[in-house]
């Protein structure tokens, strides 16, 4: 069994990884973490520097997530793609053909404490009523089962 997880190192992605480990432990699946560094809108030097920074941060997050899953006893692989997150995740499912794709529900909630959470209360309430653009795109197009995990 292969379980693919859309992983960006965010709070919600870490929670989704922990929930996936708990949910699928008895099946002993191979976990495939997929992260996407989005291309800059233009090719200026400033955007290239920002892209390289995002790329390295995503790579570090994937390695950290893979290490967590490996310590939990899973066989783990990770993929770092470049481009539109929606399209790259769809391509990853077509290439690796997982038995299920797991993504965390979108939230604009920052990875902060109670003060940061309070400031984003109204925006967050709106997010809970809808899926994000990545999850809604994948829900319409992905050809494997899709599991969208809520965050507490």
């Amino acid at each position: 069994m292969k379980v693919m997880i859309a992983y960006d190192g965010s709070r919600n992605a870490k929670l989704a990884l922990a929930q996936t480990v708990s949910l699928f432990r008895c099946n002993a699946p191979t976990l495939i973490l997929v992260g996407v560094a989005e291309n800059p809108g233009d090719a200026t030097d400033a955007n290239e520097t920002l892209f390289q920074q995002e790329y390295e941060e995503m790579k570090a997050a994937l390695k950290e997530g893979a290490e967590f899953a490996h310590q939990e006893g899973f066989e783990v692989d990770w993929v770092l793609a470049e481009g539109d997150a929606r399209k790259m995740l769809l391509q990853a499912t077509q290439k690796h053909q997982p038995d299920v794709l797991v993504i965390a529900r979108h939230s604009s909630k920052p990875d902060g404490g109670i003060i940061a959470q309070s400031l984003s209360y109204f925006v967050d309430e709106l997010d809970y009523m809808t899926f994000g653009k990545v999850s809604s795109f994948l829900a319409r197009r992905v050809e494997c089962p899709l599991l969208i995990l809520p965050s507490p």
Side-chain angles (χ1 to χ4, degrees):
M1 177 178 205
K2 289 192 284 189
V3 176
M4 181 175 281
I5 305 169
Y7 192 83
D8 62 3
S10 67
R11 173 187 173 271
N12 286 355
K14 289 177 181 175
L15 291 171
L17 177 59
Q19 288 176 310
T20 301
V21 164
S22 178
L23 284 170
F24 292 100
R25 182 179 300 281
C26 63
N27 299 94
T30 297
L31 300 182
I32 304 170
L33 305 180
V34 180
V36 180
E38 298 201 38
N39 286 332
D42 59 53
T44 63
D45 287 344
N47 281 340
E48 181 61 25
T49 301
L50 291 173
F51 174 74
Q52 287 302 321
Q53 181 181 354
E54 179 184 350
Y55 185 90
E56 293 303 321
E57 289 173 358
M58 185 65 66
K59 187 175 179 180
L62 286 166
K63 285 182 177 181
E64 180 183 73
E67 181 62 29
F68 167 77
H70 183 71
Q71 288 176 354
E72 292 291 323
F74 288 84
E75 184 177 327
V76 185
D77 194 9
W78 58 272
V79 176
L80 178 52
E82 300 174 19
D84 183 308
R86 301 170 301 168
K87 294 175 183 174
M88 294 299 102
L89 289 169
L90 182 61
Q91 282 183 1
T93 63
Q94 293 166 342
K95 181 178 179 182
H96 297 281
Q97 299 186 342
D99 295 294
V100 63
L101 171 63
V102 177
I103 61 174
R105 184 167 55 190
H106 170 75
S107 175
S108 61
K109 187 184 296 183
D111 294 345
I114 189 72
I115 294 172
Q117 291 175 14
S118 297
L119 292 174
S120 64
Y121 175 77
F122 292 111
V123 173
D124 202 39
E125 285 301 312
L126 291 174
D127 283 345
Y128 281 122
M129 292 187 249
T130 62
F131 291 129
K133 66 180 181 181
V134 174
S135 54
S136 61
F137 178 88
L138 292 170
R140 290 190 303 268
R141 291 176 176 84
V142 74
E143 296 177 2
C144 65
L146 175 64
L147 178 59
I148 302 173
L149 295 174
S151 58

